[in-house]
Amino acid sequence: MAERIPRVNQLIREELGKILHREIEFPDGVLVTITRVETSPNLIQTKVYISTMPEAKGEEVLAILRKSLYGLQQKLNKKIN
């Protein structure tokens, strides 16, 4: 059971990375990386940490992700069952 949460975290990180790469248009010259995923023990909540290069574009990237949040959740839910 102790291995379950790290496996779920890795699966979410991989699938969300693929979705972000395919679906979301970020400004030119911006690199977005998922640095860490933390899932609660009851699997109800997940926190995803990102980094952006250059850092000055971080707020712009967050605004784009906030607008796309519901769609990202739906696509991730379909991939992870």
Side-chain angles (χ1 to χ4, degrees):
M1 184 79 170
E3 292 292 318
R4 184 176 188 195
I5 298 299
R7 285 192 330 233
V8 168
N9 289 342
Q10 183 63 29
L11 180 62
I12 291 172
R13 184 176 178 180
E14 290 173 6
E15 291 300 326
L16 188 58
K18 291 175 188 176
I19 292 168
L20 289 177
H21 181 69
R22 279 192 319 260
E23 305 287 333
I24 304 296
E25 284 289 326
F26 294 111
D28 289 337
V30 175
L31 175 66
V32 178
T33 305
I34 299 174
T35 58
R36 187 173 67 198
V37 175
E38 293 180 359
T39 303
S40 64
N42 60 6
L43 301 176
I44 291 177
Q45 184 179 19
T46 298
K47 293 181 183 179
V48 177
Y49 297 84
I50 63 166
S51 92
T52 61
M53 292 298 279
E55 287 184 29
K57 297 284 187 173
E59 289 299 322
E60 187 176 347
V61 167
L62 285 176
I64 292 168
L65 290 174
R66 281 186 193 112
K67 286 181 188 175
S68 307
L69 185 60
Y70 182 74
L72 290 172
Q73 287 175 337
Q74 296 303 312
K75 288 175 182 155
L76 189 60
N77 288 340
K78 287 180 183 176
K79 292 283 187 178
I80 299 173
N81 212 354

